[in-house]
Amino acid sequence: MLDTPKIDQARLEAFATRAIGDLTAGYTGVMVSLGSKLGLYQAMAGAGPLSAKEIATRADCAERYVAEWLNAQAAGGYIAYHGLSDTYELLPEQAMVLADEDSPVYVPHAWNVPASMWFDEPKTLDAFRTGNGIAWGEHDHRLSCGSAAFFRNGYRAALVPQWLPALDGVVEQLEAGISVADVGCGYGHSTLLMAEAFPNSRFHGFDTHAASLDEARRNAAAAGVSDRVDYAMTRADDYPDGGYGLICFFDILHDLGDPVAAALQAAKTLAPGGTVLLVEPFAHDHIKDNLSPVAQLYYSASTMICCAHAISEGGNMVLGAQAGQARLADVFRKAGFTHFRRAAETPFNFIFEVRR
């Protein structure tokens, strides 16, 4: 008979508390989504302390629901509560995260991603049991719109002012006019940011998800750059040769079923002296160094989304969202590239300069 393992009570209580904290975060995500869609954060932003009734009136919502929502937000530290006046306040720092849709740290839209993950749980259960893949387009629509909205603000804050200048000579080439490929462009936010900044260049977005490309075309028309931006549905290893001076992979290479084939296509279509811009999730090369809250988020999304899509494309090399620099460099080395440099980094991303 096996001995019953001895339970460390302090360790048990600490882990149970951690698990309850994660459960609370899930509940809070629903509250954040409600607050954003109902305009509750916007009603509070810059207004100072307000009563529940005042906030409900400003947002045109029922006071009793708003009061309970406010208490949930205050309990989680998402808003401030002033006991003497029985009022609630959205502090400026909180407003950047919750109310300002142009802020680089705006987060409400990101909650669409775990919502889609829950909705798609039956498909993932089947994938675990069969080993089958789940293509991006087979997920609930909230995955694509949530991902696009979340990444948009980060790219807006960093792509043109920081990442492109970190690449040797690329800004000068874009200003003079080159052809640019945005591989796995999704809703086209990254494409548009470059097109708006560099009117002499021409931009080509490629993706396999028709619905995302439709959104990308609408976004290009709304931004007034359709004259220098076009989109086409094609795989990352099969887009047309355009003699590209810059080929971009924004948080997409690790999703591909054959990243080496995508790198080979980049080598084939890159103009002489051209550059590959590779943006990938921040990750160390060894699992033991990736045991952090950010990595927890990435590994979880990778389980249901990134790896699942790569497997749906054949899964020749399933990198996952925590591939690390060494494995990414090896992908391009196998495709004949000789220059692979980390040009910049953030707490969430690596930015690499790759050349033949």
Side-chain angles (χ1 to χ4, degrees), residues 201-265:
S201 291
R202 294 297 176 265
F203 300 85
H204 311 274
F206 305 115
D207 207 287
T208 59
H209 188 221
S212 289
L213 289 169
D214 289 341
E215 288 291 335
R217 294 185 184 100
R218 283 190 283 269
N219 290 333
V225 296
S226 295
D227 61 323
R228 53 186 180 273
V229 175
D230 61 73
Y231 296 101
M233 188 164 70
T234 183
R235 288 170 58 99
D237 58 1
D238 195 35
Y239 53 88
D241 186 349
Y244 305 108
L246 178 65
I247 298 176
C248 304
F249 295 91
F250 291 104
D251 287 294
I252 187 65
L253 189 79
H254 66 271
D255 291 331
L256 303 177
D258 193 342
V260 173
L264 284 166
Q265 182 69 4

Short mmCIF file of all heavy atoms in Angstrom, two decimals, residues 201-265:
data_model
loop_
_atom_site.label_atom_id
_atom_site.label_comp_id
_atom_site.label_asym_id
_atom_site.label_seq_id
_atom_site.Cartn_x
_atom_site.Cartn_y
_atom_site.Cartn_z
N SER A 201 6.48 54.28 -50.04
CA SER A 201 6.60 52.83 -50.15
C SER A 201 5.25 52.20 -50.45
O SER A 201 4.20 52.82 -50.28
CB SER A 201 7.19 52.25 -48.85
OG SER A 201 8.54 52.62 -48.70
N ARG A 202 5.28 50.95 -50.87
CA ARG A 202 4.06 50.21 -51.18
C ARG A 202 4.01 48.96 -50.30
O ARG A 202 5.03 48.28 -50.11
CB ARG A 202 4.01 49.82 -52.66
CG ARG A 202 3.90 51.04 -53.59
CD ARG A 202 2.60 51.79 -53.35
NE ARG A 202 2.47 53.02 -54.13
CZ ARG A 202 2.79 54.23 -53.68
NH1 ARG A 202 3.29 54.36 -52.45
NH2 ARG A 202 2.62 55.29 -54.44
N PHE A 203 2.83 48.64 -49.79
CA PHE A 203 2.68 47.64 -48.75
C PHE A 203 1.71 46.55 -49.19
O PHE A 203 0.63 46.83 -49.74
CB PHE A 203 2.21 48.31 -47.46
CG PHE A 203 3.17 49.36 -46.97
CD1 PHE A 203 3.12 50.67 -47.45
CD2 PHE A 203 4.16 49.03 -46.06
CE1 PHE A 203 4.03 51.62 -47.02
CE2 PHE A 203 5.08 49.97 -45.63
CZ PHE A 203 5.01 51.26 -46.11
N HIS A 204 2.08 45.30 -48.90
CA HIS A 204 1.30 44.15 -49.33
C HIS A 204 1.09 43.24 -48.12
O HIS A 204 2.05 42.71 -47.56
CB HIS A 204 2.03 43.39 -50.43
CG HIS A 204 2.52 44.28 -51.54
ND1 HIS A 204 1.73 44.65 -52.62
CD2 HIS A 204 3.72 44.92 -51.71
CE1 HIS A 204 2.42 45.46 -53.41
NE2 HIS A 204 3.63 45.64 -52.88
N GLY A 205 -0.17 43.08 -47.72
CA GLY A 205 -0.49 42.23 -46.57
C GLY A 205 -0.98 40.87 -47.02
O GLY A 205 -1.80 40.78 -47.94
N PHE A 206 -0.49 39.82 -46.38
CA PHE A 206 -0.86 38.45 -46.74
C PHE A 206 -1.36 37.71 -45.51
O PHE A 206 -0.78 37.82 -44.43
CB PHE A 206 0.34 37.70 -47.34
CG PHE A 206 0.97 38.40 -48.52
CD1 PHE A 206 2.26 38.90 -48.45
CD2 PHE A 206 0.24 38.58 -49.68
CE1 PHE A 206 2.84 39.55 -49.53
CE2 PHE A 206 0.81 39.23 -50.78
CZ PHE A 206 2.10 39.71 -50.70
N ASP A 207 -2.43 36.94 -45.69
CA ASP A 207 -2.99 36.16 -44.58
C ASP A 207 -3.82 35.03 -45.17
O ASP A 207 -4.20 35.07 -46.35
CB ASP A 207 -3.84 37.06 -43.68
CG ASP A 207 -3.90 36.54 -42.25
OD1 ASP A 207 -4.58 35.52 -42.01
OD2 ASP A 207 -3.26 37.14 -41.37
N THR A 208 -4.11 34.03 -44.34
CA THR A 208 -4.95 32.91 -44.78
C THR A 208 -6.38 33.02 -44.28
O THR A 208 -7.20 32.15 -44.58
CB THR A 208 -4.35 31.57 -44.29
OG1 THR A 208 -4.26 31.60 -42.85
CG2 THR A 208 -2.96 31.34 -44.87
N HIS A 209 -6.69 34.06 -43.50
CA HIS A 209 -8.01 34.20 -42.88
C HIS A 209 -8.80 35.27 -43.62
O HIS A 209 -8.52 36.47 -43.51
CB HIS A 209 -7.86 34.56 -41.41
CG HIS A 209 -9.13 34.53 -40.64
ND1 HIS A 209 -9.46 35.50 -39.71
CD2 HIS A 209 -10.18 33.68 -40.68
CE1 HIS A 209 -10.64 35.22 -39.20
NE2 HIS A 209 -11.09 34.12 -39.77
N ALA A 210 -9.80 34.84 -44.39
CA ALA A 210 -10.54 35.75 -45.25
C ALA A 210 -11.24 36.86 -44.47
O ALA A 210 -11.24 38.02 -44.90
CB ALA A 210 -11.56 34.97 -46.08
N ALA A 211 -11.82 36.52 -43.33
CA ALA A 211 -12.56 37.53 -42.56
C ALA A 211 -11.62 38.63 -42.06
O ALA A 211 -11.98 39.82 -42.04
CB ALA A 211 -13.28 36.87 -41.39
N SER A 212 -10.41 38.25 -41.66
CA SER A 212 -9.44 39.26 -41.22
C SER A 212 -9.03 40.16 -42.38
O SER A 212 -8.87 41.38 -42.21
CB SER A 212 -8.21 38.58 -40.62
OG SER A 212 -8.50 37.98 -39.37
N LEU A 213 -8.85 39.59 -43.55
CA LEU A 213 -8.47 40.39 -44.71
C LEU A 213 -9.57 41.37 -45.10
O LEU A 213 -9.29 42.50 -45.52
CB LEU A 213 -8.13 39.48 -45.89
CG LEU A 213 -6.82 38.70 -45.75
CD1 LEU A 213 -6.71 37.64 -46.84
CD2 LEU A 213 -5.62 39.64 -45.80
N ASP A 214 -10.82 40.95 -44.95
CA ASP A 214 -11.94 41.88 -45.20
C ASP A 214 -11.85 43.07 -44.26
O ASP A 214 -12.05 44.23 -44.67
CB ASP A 214 -13.27 41.16 -45.02
CG ASP A 214 -13.57 40.16 -46.14
OD1 ASP A 214 -12.94 40.28 -47.21
OD2 ASP A 214 -14.41 39.27 -45.92
N GLU A 215 -11.56 42.80 -42.98
CA GLU A 215 -11.41 43.88 -42.02
C GLU A 215 -10.21 44.76 -42.38
O GLU A 215 -10.26 45.99 -42.25
CB GLU A 215 -11.23 43.32 -40.61
CG GLU A 215 -12.49 42.72 -40.01
CD GLU A 215 -13.54 43.78 -39.69
OE1 GLU A 215 -13.17 44.96 -39.49
OE2 GLU A 215 -14.73 43.42 -39.66
N ALA A 216 -9.13 44.14 -42.83
CA ALA A 216 -7.93 44.89 -43.20
C ALA A 216 -8.24 45.86 -44.34
O ALA A 216 -7.78 47.02 -44.34
CB ALA A 216 -6.81 43.94 -43.59
N ARG A 217 -9.00 45.41 -45.32
CA ARG A 217 -9.34 46.29 -46.46
C ARG A 217 -10.22 47.45 -45.99
O ARG A 217 -10.05 48.59 -46.44
CB ARG A 217 -10.03 45.48 -47.54
CG ARG A 217 -9.12 44.43 -48.20
CD ARG A 217 -9.79 43.72 -49.35
NE ARG A 217 -8.91 42.67 -49.89
CZ ARG A 217 -9.02 41.37 -49.60
NH1 ARG A 217 -10.00 40.96 -48.80
NH2 ARG A 217 -8.19 40.50 -50.11
N ARG A 218 -11.16 47.16 -45.10
CA ARG A 218 -11.99 48.24 -44.57
C ARG A 218 -11.15 49.24 -43.78
O ARG A 218 -11.34 50.46 -43.87
CB ARG A 218 -13.11 47.66 -43.70
CG ARG A 218 -14.26 47.06 -44.50
CD ARG A 218 -15.45 46.72 -43.60
NE ARG A 218 -15.22 45.51 -42.84
CZ ARG A 218 -15.58 44.29 -43.27
NH1 ARG A 218 -16.16 44.13 -44.46
NH2 ARG A 218 -15.37 43.22 -42.51
N ASN A 219 -10.20 48.73 -43.01
CA ASN A 219 -9.34 49.61 -42.23
C ASN A 219 -8.47 50.48 -43.14
O ASN A 219 -8.24 51.66 -42.85
CB ASN A 219 -8.45 48.78 -41.29
CG ASN A 219 -9.22 48.15 -40.15
OD1 ASN A 219 -10.26 48.65 -39.74
ND2 ASN A 219 -8.72 47.04 -39.63
N ALA A 220 -7.98 49.90 -44.23
CA ALA A 220 -7.15 50.67 -45.17
C ALA A 220 -7.97 51.78 -45.82
O ALA A 220 -7.49 52.92 -45.98
CB ALA A 220 -6.56 49.75 -46.23
N ALA A 221 -9.21 51.47 -46.19
CA ALA A 221 -10.07 52.48 -46.80
C ALA A 221 -10.37 53.60 -45.82
O ALA A 221 -10.33 54.78 -46.17
CB ALA A 221 -11.36 51.83 -47.29
N ALA A 222 -10.64 53.23 -44.56
CA ALA A 222 -10.94 54.24 -43.54
C ALA A 222 -9.74 55.13 -43.26
O ALA A 222 -9.89 56.32 -42.97
CB ALA A 222 -11.40 53.55 -42.25
N ALA A 223 -8.55 54.56 -43.38
CA ALA A 223 -7.32 55.33 -43.12
C ALA A 223 -6.88 56.13 -44.35
O ALA A 223 -5.94 56.94 -44.25
CB ALA A 223 -6.20 54.39 -42.69
N GLY A 224 -7.52 55.90 -45.48
CA GLY A 224 -7.18 56.64 -46.69
C GLY A 224 -5.86 56.25 -47.32
O GLY A 224 -5.21 57.07 -47.97
N VAL A 225 -5.46 54.98 -47.18
CA VAL A 225 -4.18 54.54 -47.74
C VAL A 225 -4.34 53.39 -48.74
O VAL A 225 -3.37 52.71 -49.05
CB VAL A 225 -3.20 54.12 -46.61
CG1 VAL A 225 -2.86 55.30 -45.72
CG2 VAL A 225 -3.78 52.98 -45.78
N SER A 226 -5.55 53.20 -49.23
CA SER A 226 -5.79 52.09 -50.16
C SER A 226 -4.96 52.22 -51.44
O SER A 226 -4.75 51.22 -52.14
CB SER A 226 -7.27 52.01 -50.52
OG SER A 226 -8.05 51.70 -49.37
N ASP A 227 -4.48 53.43 -51.74
CA ASP A 227 -3.67 53.62 -52.94
C ASP A 227 -2.29 53.00 -52.83
O ASP A 227 -1.63 52.76 -53.85
CB ASP A 227 -3.53 55.11 -53.24
CG ASP A 227 -2.84 55.88 -52.12
OD1 ASP A 227 -3.07 55.53 -50.95
OD2 ASP A 227 -2.07 56.81 -52.44
N ARG A 228 -1.84 52.73 -51.61
CA ARG A 228 -0.51 52.15 -51.44
C ARG A 228 -0.51 50.88 -50.59
O ARG A 228 0.54 50.41 -50.16
CB ARG A 228 0.46 53.17 -50.85
CG ARG A 228 0.03 53.85 -49.57
CD ARG A 228 1.03 54.94 -49.19
NE ARG A 228 0.72 55.65 -47.98
CZ ARG A 228 -0.07 56.73 -47.92
NH1 ARG A 228 -0.63 57.18 -49.03
NH2 ARG A 228 -0.28 57.35 -46.77
N VAL A 229 -1.69 50.32 -50.34
CA VAL A 229 -1.82 49.09 -49.55
C VAL A 229 -2.74 48.12 -50.28
O VAL A 229 -3.81 48.51 -50.75
CB VAL A 229 -2.39 49.38 -48.15
CG1 VAL A 229 -2.62 48.09 -47.39
CG2 VAL A 229 -1.46 50.29 -47.37
N ASP A 230 -2.34 46.87 -50.37
CA ASP A 230 -3.25 45.85 -50.89
C ASP A 230 -3.09 44.58 -50.06
O ASP A 230 -2.07 44.38 -49.40
CB ASP A 230 -3.01 45.56 -52.37
CG ASP A 230 -1.61 45.02 -52.65
OD1 ASP A 230 -1.34 43.85 -52.31
OD2 ASP A 230 -0.78 45.76 -53.20
N TYR A 231 -4.12 43.75 -50.08
CA TYR A 231 -4.14 42.53 -49.28
C TYR A 231 -4.52 41.35 -50.16
O TYR A 231 -5.32 41.47 -51.09
CB TYR A 231 -5.15 42.67 -48.13
CG TYR A 231 -4.78 43.73 -47.13
CD1 TYR A 231 -5.40 44.98 -47.16
CD2 TYR A 231 -3.80 43.51 -46.17
CE1 TYR A 231 -5.05 45.97 -46.25
CE2 TYR A 231 -3.45 44.49 -45.25
CZ TYR A 231 -4.09 45.71 -45.30
OH TYR A 231 -3.74 46.69 -44.40
N ALA A 232 -3.96 40.20 -49.85
CA ALA A 232 -4.26 38.98 -50.61
C ALA A 232 -4.25 37.78 -49.66
O ALA A 232 -3.48 37.74 -48.70
CB ALA A 232 -3.23 38.78 -51.72
N MET A 233 -5.10 36.80 -49.98
CA MET A 233 -5.16 35.58 -49.17
C MET A 233 -4.18 34.56 -49.72
O MET A 233 -4.34 34.08 -50.85
CB MET A 233 -6.58 35.01 -49.15
CG MET A 233 -6.72 33.86 -48.16
SD MET A 233 -8.44 33.46 -47.74
CE MET A 233 -8.99 32.76 -49.29
N THR A 234 -3.17 34.25 -48.95
CA THR A 234 -2.15 33.29 -49.35
C THR A 234 -1.38 32.83 -48.13
O THR A 234 -1.35 33.52 -47.11
CB THR A 234 -1.20 33.89 -50.41
OG1 THR A 234 -0.26 32.89 -50.83
CG2 THR A 234 -0.45 35.08 -49.84
N ARG A 235 -0.75 31.69 -48.24
CA ARG A 235 0.05 31.14 -47.15
C ARG A 235 1.37 31.90 -47.02
O ARG A 235 1.82 32.58 -47.94
CB ARG A 235 0.33 29.66 -47.39
CG ARG A 235 -0.88 28.76 -47.21
CD ARG A 235 -0.57 27.35 -47.71
NE ARG A 235 0.59 26.77 -47.02
CZ ARG A 235 0.53 25.91 -46.01
NH1 ARG A 235 -0.65 25.52 -45.55
NH2 ARG A 235 1.62 25.42 -45.46
N ALA A 236 1.99 31.73 -45.89
CA ALA A 236 3.26 32.41 -45.61
C ALA A 236 4.41 31.85 -46.44
O ALA A 236 5.48 32.47 -46.50
CB ALA A 236 3.60 32.30 -44.13
N ASP A 237 4.21 30.71 -47.06
CA ASP A 237 5.26 30.13 -47.90
C ASP A 237 4.90 30.17 -49.38
O ASP A 237 5.51 29.48 -50.19
CB ASP A 237 5.58 28.70 -47.46
CG ASP A 237 4.35 27.79 -47.53
OD1 ASP A 237 3.26 28.26 -47.92
OD2 ASP A 237 4.47 26.61 -47.16
N ASP A 238 3.89 31.02 -49.73
CA ASP A 238 3.43 30.99 -51.11
C ASP A 238 2.97 32.36 -51.62
O ASP A 238 2.24 32.43 -52.60
CB ASP A 238 2.28 29.98 -51.24
CG ASP A 238 1.98 29.61 -52.68
OD1 ASP A 238 2.93 29.55 -53.48
OD2 ASP A 238 0.79 29.41 -53.01
N TYR A 239 3.35 33.45 -50.99
CA TYR A 239 2.94 34.76 -51.47
C TYR A 239 3.81 35.15 -52.66
O TYR A 239 4.93 34.65 -52.84
CB TYR A 239 3.01 35.81 -50.35
CG TYR A 239 4.33 35.91 -49.64
CD1 TYR A 239 5.35 36.75 -50.10
CD2 TYR A 239 4.57 35.16 -48.49
CE1 TYR A 239 6.56 36.84 -49.43
CE2 TYR A 239 5.78 35.24 -47.81
CZ TYR A 239 6.77 36.08 -48.29
OH TYR A 239 7.97 36.15 -47.64
N PRO A 240 3.32 36.07 -53.51
CA PRO A 240 4.05 36.39 -54.74
C PRO A 240 5.36 37.11 -54.49
O PRO A 240 5.53 37.82 -53.49
CB PRO A 240 3.07 37.29 -55.51
CG PRO A 240 2.14 37.83 -54.47
CD PRO A 240 2.02 36.75 -53.43
N ASP A 241 6.29 36.93 -55.41
CA ASP A 241 7.60 37.57 -55.34
C ASP A 241 7.45 39.02 -55.76
O ASP A 241 7.11 39.31 -56.91
CB ASP A 241 8.58 36.84 -56.25
CG ASP A 241 10.01 37.36 -56.11
OD1 ASP A 241 10.19 38.42 -55.47
OD2 ASP A 241 10.93 36.70 -56.63
N GLY A 242 7.71 39.92 -54.82
CA GLY A 242 7.59 41.34 -55.13
C GLY A 242 8.88 42.10 -55.00
O GLY A 242 8.87 43.34 -54.98
N GLY A 243 10.00 41.41 -54.87
CA GLY A 243 11.26 42.10 -54.68
C GLY A 243 11.21 43.00 -53.47
O GLY A 243 11.53 44.19 -53.51
N TYR A 244 10.83 42.42 -52.33
CA TYR A 244 10.54 43.22 -51.13
C TYR A 244 11.82 43.72 -50.45
O TYR A 244 12.74 42.94 -50.17
CB TYR A 244 9.72 42.40 -50.14
CG TYR A 244 8.46 41.83 -50.75
CD1 TYR A 244 8.34 40.46 -51.01
CD2 TYR A 244 7.39 42.66 -51.09
CE1 TYR A 244 7.19 39.94 -51.59
CE2 TYR A 244 6.24 42.15 -51.66
CZ TYR A 244 6.15 40.79 -51.92
OH TYR A 244 5.01 40.27 -52.50
N GLY A 245 11.83 45.01 -50.16
CA GLY A 245 12.93 45.57 -49.39
C GLY A 245 12.79 45.29 -47.91
O GLY A 245 13.78 45.33 -47.17
N LEU A 246 11.57 45.00 -47.48
CA LEU A 246 11.30 44.67 -46.08
C LEU A 246 10.19 43.62 -46.04
O LEU A 246 9.14 43.80 -46.67
CB LEU A 246 10.86 45.91 -45.30
CG LEU A 246 10.50 45.72 -43.82
CD1 LEU A 246 11.73 45.29 -43.01
CD2 LEU A 246 9.91 47.00 -43.23
N ILE A 247 10.44 42.53 -45.32
CA ILE A 247 9.43 41.50 -45.09
C ILE A 247 9.21 41.40 -43.59
O ILE A 247 10.17 41.22 -42.83
CB ILE A 247 9.85 40.14 -45.68
CG1 ILE A 247 10.01 40.25 -47.20
CG2 ILE A 247 8.83 39.07 -45.33
CD1 ILE A 247 10.52 38.97 -47.85
N CYS A 248 7.96 41.53 -43.17
CA CYS A 248 7.64 41.59 -41.74
C CYS A 248 6.86 40.35 -41.30
O CYS A 248 5.92 39.92 -41.98
CB CYS A 248 6.80 42.83 -41.43
SG CYS A 248 7.55 44.38 -41.94
N PHE A 249 7.24 39.83 -40.16
CA PHE A 249 6.49 38.78 -39.47
C PHE A 249 6.16 39.30 -38.08
O PHE A 249 7.03 39.32 -37.20
CB PHE A 249 7.30 37.49 -39.35
CG PHE A 249 7.64 36.81 -40.65
CD1 PHE A 249 8.83 37.11 -41.31
CD2 PHE A 249 6.79 35.86 -41.19
CE1 PHE A 249 9.16 36.48 -42.50
CE2 PHE A 249 7.12 35.21 -42.39
CZ PHE A 249 8.29 35.53 -43.04
N PHE A 250 4.94 39.76 -37.88
CA PHE A 250 4.54 40.30 -36.59
C PHE A 250 3.80 39.24 -35.76
O PHE A 250 2.64 38.93 -36.05
CB PHE A 250 3.64 41.52 -36.77
CG PHE A 250 4.34 42.73 -37.33
CD1 PHE A 250 4.16 43.10 -38.66
CD2 PHE A 250 5.21 43.48 -36.54
CE1 PHE A 250 4.80 44.21 -39.19
CE2 PHE A 250 5.86 44.59 -37.06
CZ PHE A 250 5.66 44.95 -38.39
N ASP A 251 4.48 38.66 -34.78
CA ASP A 251 3.87 37.68 -33.88
C ASP A 251 3.14 36.58 -34.65
O ASP A 251 2.05 36.16 -34.27
CB ASP A 251 2.89 38.39 -32.92
CG ASP A 251 3.61 39.20 -31.86
OD1 ASP A 251 4.29 38.59 -31.02
OD2 ASP A 251 3.50 40.44 -31.87
N ILE A 252 3.76 36.10 -35.72
CA ILE A 252 3.08 35.11 -36.56
C ILE A 252 3.94 33.89 -36.86
O ILE A 252 3.41 32.79 -37.06
CB ILE A 252 2.63 35.77 -37.89
CG1 ILE A 252 1.77 34.82 -38.74
CG2 ILE A 252 3.83 36.23 -38.70
CD1 ILE A 252 0.47 34.45 -38.11
N LEU A 253 5.27 34.02 -36.86
CA LEU A 253 6.11 32.90 -37.31
C LEU A 253 5.86 31.65 -36.48
O LEU A 253 5.80 30.53 -37.01
CB LEU A 253 7.59 33.29 -37.23
CG LEU A 253 8.53 32.26 -37.88
CD1 LEU A 253 8.53 32.42 -39.40
CD2 LEU A 253 9.96 32.39 -37.35
N HIS A 254 5.70 31.82 -35.16
CA HIS A 254 5.51 30.65 -34.30
C HIS A 254 4.17 29.97 -34.50
O HIS A 254 3.95 28.87 -34.01
CB HIS A 254 5.67 31.05 -32.82
CG HIS A 254 4.61 31.98 -32.34
ND1 HIS A 254 4.71 33.34 -32.43
CD2 HIS A 254 3.40 31.73 -31.77
CE1 HIS A 254 3.63 33.91 -31.93
NE2 HIS A 254 2.82 32.95 -31.52
N ASP A 255 3.24 30.63 -35.22
CA ASP A 255 1.93 30.03 -35.51
C ASP A 255 1.96 29.13 -36.74
O ASP A 255 0.97 28.43 -37.00
CB ASP A 255 0.88 31.13 -35.76
CG ASP A 255 0.54 31.92 -34.51
OD1 ASP A 255 0.64 31.35 -33.41
OD2 ASP A 255 0.17 33.10 -34.64
N LEU A 256 3.03 29.17 -37.51
CA LEU A 256 3.05 28.51 -38.80
C LEU A 256 3.43 27.04 -38.67
O LEU A 256 4.25 26.65 -37.84
CB LEU A 256 4.04 29.21 -39.73
CG LEU A 256 3.78 30.71 -39.95
CD1 LEU A 256 4.88 31.31 -40.83
CD2 LEU A 256 2.40 30.94 -40.55
N GLY A 257 2.84 26.23 -39.53
CA GLY A 257 3.12 24.80 -39.52
C GLY A 257 4.51 24.47 -40.01
O GLY A 257 5.09 23.45 -39.63
N ASP A 258 5.07 25.33 -40.87
CA ASP A 258 6.42 25.11 -41.39
C ASP A 258 7.15 26.46 -41.43
O ASP A 258 7.25 27.09 -42.48
CB ASP A 258 6.36 24.50 -42.79
CG ASP A 258 7.71 23.95 -43.24
OD1 ASP A 258 8.73 24.34 -42.65
OD2 ASP A 258 7.74 23.14 -44.19
N PRO A 259 7.65 26.92 -40.30
CA PRO A 259 8.33 28.22 -40.28
C PRO A 259 9.57 28.27 -41.16
O PRO A 259 9.91 29.34 -41.68
CB PRO A 259 8.67 28.42 -38.80
CG PRO A 259 8.56 27.07 -38.17
CD PRO A 259 7.55 26.32 -38.96
N VAL A 260 10.25 27.15 -41.35
CA VAL A 260 11.42 27.15 -42.23
C VAL A 260 10.99 27.44 -43.67
O VAL A 260 11.66 28.20 -44.39
CB VAL A 260 12.19 25.82 -42.13
CG1 VAL A 260 13.31 25.77 -43.17
CG2 VAL A 260 12.77 25.64 -40.74
N ALA A 261 9.87 26.87 -44.08
CA ALA A 261 9.36 27.14 -45.43
C ALA A 261 9.02 28.62 -45.59
O ALA A 261 9.26 29.22 -46.66
CB ALA A 261 8.14 26.29 -45.72
N ALA A 262 8.48 29.23 -44.53
CA ALA A 262 8.18 30.67 -44.58
C ALA A 262 9.47 31.48 -44.68
O ALA A 262 9.53 32.47 -45.41
CB ALA A 262 7.39 31.07 -43.34
N ALA A 263 10.49 31.07 -43.95
CA ALA A 263 11.77 31.76 -44.02
C ALA A 263 12.41 31.58 -45.40
O ALA A 263 13.02 32.52 -45.94
CB ALA A 263 12.71 31.26 -42.93
N LEU A 264 12.26 30.40 -45.99
CA LEU A 264 12.78 30.17 -47.35
C LEU A 264 12.05 31.06 -48.36
O LEU A 264 12.68 31.59 -49.29
CB LEU A 264 12.60 28.69 -47.73
CG LEU A 264 13.58 27.71 -47.10
CD1 LEU A 264 13.10 26.28 -47.28
CD2 LEU A 264 14.97 27.89 -47.71
N GLN A 265 10.74 31.23 -48.18
CA GLN A 265 9.99 32.11 -49.07
C GLN A 265 10.46 33.56 -48.92
O GLN A 265 10.56 34.30 -49.90
CB GLN A 265 8.49 32.00 -48.77
CG GLN A 265 7.59 32.84 -49.67
CD GLN A 265 7.54 32.34 -51.10
OE1 GLN A 265 8.13 31.30 -51.44
NE2 GLN A 265 6.86 33.08 -51.97
#
